[in-house]
Amino acid sequence: MRLLIAANWKMHGDMSWADKPTKLDAILPADQRTGIDILICPPFPILGAIKKAAAPAKILVGAQDCHAEIKGAHTGDISAEMIASTDSTYVIVGHSERRALGESDSDVKAKAHAALRAGLTPIICVGETLTQREAGQAEGVVKSMIEQSMPDGEGDIVIAYEPVWAIGTGKTAKTKDIAEMHAAIRDQVGPKVRILYGGSVKPQNTEAIFSVPHVNGALIGGAGLEMESLAAIAKFAVNITA
Ligand code: PGA
């Protein structure tokens, strides 16, 4: 399975960042990463500009959220079809920072369905809170989130397991816990779905995380903003698939 190295830029970046894919390609040229996929998910206003630079650099581009409907009176929202019209191919749905604003599993499912309708691959984010983990509920919570958030029918999807308490905190889950969760998710979703780990992934912990069975890549926040660290993480993935 090809590993997917996905950078979620969140609300960072403007047009002056448009050369970042070119910079990444200079650090880790496309012919040195043929076995892996690198994806950048920038904010909406620069999606097109990043896509333009990313295409020759053989880097994939995606968005960070979409609306469930194709079009309509939804001020400030963006449809999956609009994202697809920029030739971007992925969209993150159900990130914990959006779920924290009130997004439910059924909202996430509708968004994932919209992504497939538009020909995009949804990256469906799931993860337990610290309270849920300490109460021994982590696996049950994550499995239920997946069950309720997965779109019906066929289509390429990616699951990102991101413990909420590990996002942006510098804390990563123990490899034993990642192994248990990824094995449980693999049982649930079958052999074809890529399962990413996310939550304070950085070059220093990547090797250990990528050596865990059923970790098929990473969803990276902070360490994906600088091309040096994103490339360093991607290099570990190249070494693993080589
Ligand atoms: P982080 O973010 O790598 O900064 O923890 C991960 C994410 O939110 O996807």
Side-chain angles (χ1 to χ4, degrees), residues 6-10 92 95-97 125 160 162-172 197-202 218-225 233:
N8 171 14
W9 281 0
K10 307 190 180 183
I92 298 169
H95 190 280
S96 74
E97 287 155 14
C125 302
E162 301 200 291
V164 176
W165 49 271
I167 295 175
T169 57
K171 293 181 194 152
T172 15
Y197 172 79
S200 298
V201 173
K202 27 183 156 0
L219 184 55
I220 304 148
L225 300 176
I233 291 169

Side-chain angles (χ1 to χ4, degrees), residues 2 21 25 29-31 33-34 36-39 53-61:
R2 289 172 74 83
D25 193 42
D31 62 0
R33 50 177 157 88
T34 49
I36 66 160
D37 293 325
I38 299 183
L39 168 70
K58 295 198 165 56
I59 291 169
L60 302 168
V61 176

Side-chain angles (χ1 to χ4, degrees), residues 121-175:
T121 300
I123 300 178
I124 303 170
C125 302
V126 294
E128 81 285 357
T129 62
L130 190 57
T131 316
Q132 289 165 334
R133 172 154 292 275
E134 285 173 352
Q137 297 165 345
E139 196 175 309
V141 165
V142 166
K143 286 190 133 179
S144 153
M145 288 173 94
I146 293 175
E147 197 183 318
Q148 311 290 325
S149 308
M150 289 259 279
D152 300 323
E154 292 290 298
D156 186 29
I157 66 157
V158 174
I159 300 285
Y161 167 56
E162 301 200 291
V164 176
W165 49 271
I167 295 175
T169 57
K171 293 181 194 152
T172 15
K174 295 190 194 90
T175 47

Side-chain angles (χ1 to χ4, degrees), residues 50-114:
I50 294 291
K51 175 65 200 168
K52 207 167 161 205
K58 295 198 165 56
I59 291 169
L60 302 168
V61 176
Q64 300 171 17
D65 186 30
C66 67
H67 195 279
E69 289 175 31
I70 296 177
K71 60 180 177 176
H74 302 291
T75 302
D77 276 319
I78 309 273
S79 72
E81 281 73 8
M82 292 171 182
I83 296 164
S85 78
T86 67
D87 290 329
S88 298
T89 45
Y90 284 75
V91 60
I92 298 169
V93 293
H95 190 280
S96 74
E97 287 155 14
R98 300 217 61 89
R99 289 181 185 262
L101 298 174
E103 217 167 84
S104 67
D105 285 332
S106 63
D107 295 330
V108 177
K109 179 175 179 161
K111 291 179 176 202
H113 178 74

